[in-house]
Amino acid sequence: MIPAPAQATVLTYPEEAVPTGLRRQVRALQEDAWPSSDEASAASLAPVHDPALRPVSMLLVAGDTVLAALDVLTKEITHAGRRWAAGGLSTVVTRPEARGRGHGGRLVSIAREAMAGQGLEVGLFTCDRPLQAFYDSAGWRRLPGAVLVGGTAESPFPSDWSAFDKVTMACFFTDGSRAAEPAFRNSRIALHPGRIDKLW
């Protein structure tokens, strides 16, 4: 039986420090959502994110079962004439048999609160358009007209690429970033997280 959200606990680790048993479950969920192109990658328990982005894994766990998982990535970006401490969500997954019970939404909401508490100024990430309502329900908001430009400055990877149908979700955690929010709307935001994570 899948427990109610209130019966589960959120565990937080640097991505490379997730205990092996939990890590194996997280990788299985990630593989189910985004299958690797080769068997070696599919079987690997190695971290999937660029360590330069200081990945932190958040797991919603009941007993020894991972119900939902996500990673928070962070870096400084430059936008609207200044630097911002920015973070975003990546690899958000929920165990298939646990979907529809509020587990994923609870974890995404807790992650948003944790990001605000750790001194980040801006939260930014993209999601497929049909998932916007899910993130809205967890306290995130669509940033109208905003395009995240991932990849690198030399090899950009924009979220408005023709093969995508994505929206940019955001939270502004400080008075300064909230005042600057209009400058983030209808703009191209140079995220440039690198070649591994591309758009977080």
Side-chain angles (χ1 to χ4, degrees), residues 2 4 17-18 27 39 57 63 66 85 88 94 97 108-109 111 135 139 153 156 161 186 191 193:
I2 300 297
V18 175
R27 286 293 296 125
E39 291 185 9
S57 296
V66 176
T94 301
E97 61 268 31
V108 168
S109 180
Y135 288 106
W161 182 39
N186 301 302
L191 188 64

Side-chain angles (χ1 to χ4, degrees), residues 27-181:
R27 286 293 296 125
L29 295 178
Q30 291 171 341
E31 278 298 312
D32 183 62
W34 309 285
S36 296
S37 58
D38 61 89
E39 291 185 9
S41 296
S44 174
L45 296 182
V48 299
H49 297 294
D50 187 339
L53 299 175
R54 303 180 290 276
V56 171
S57 296
M58 300 185 70
L59 317 179
L60 186 66
V61 178
D64 58 0
T65 300
V66 176
L67 301 176
L70 60 78
D71 295 309
V72 176
L73 309 179
T74 59
K75 66 168 293 186
E76 282 197 341
I77 65 171
T78 299
H79 189 76
R82 60 157 287 183
R83 295 184 70 79
W84 305 94
L89 303 185
S90 183
T91 55
V92 179
V93 288
T94 301
R95 183 173 294 277
E97 61 268 31
R99 291 173 186 162
R101 300 171 183 265
H103 296 297
R106 177 186 173 197
L107 185 60
V108 168
S109 180
I110 290 172
R112 177 179 53 80
E113 294 168 1
M115 292 165 74
Q118 72 184 62
L120 295 179
E121 297 167 285
V122 182
L124 296 165
F125 63 95
T126 62
C127 70
D128 294 336
R129 193 174 301 276
L131 293 174
Q132 179 187 331
F134 166 75
Y135 288 106
D136 282 341
S137 70
W140 295 86
R141 294 293 177 262
R142 185 175 70 88
L143 190 59
V147 174
L148 295 189
V149 182
T152 65
E154 298 74 27
S155 182
F157 189 73
S159 63
D160 63 350
W161 182 39
S162 60
F164 289 152
D165 183 22
K166 292 189 178 292
V167 294
T168 297
M169 306 301 294
C171 266
F172 295 87
F173 301 125
T174 64
D175 290 342
S177 65
R178 284 188 285 270
E181 179 180 354

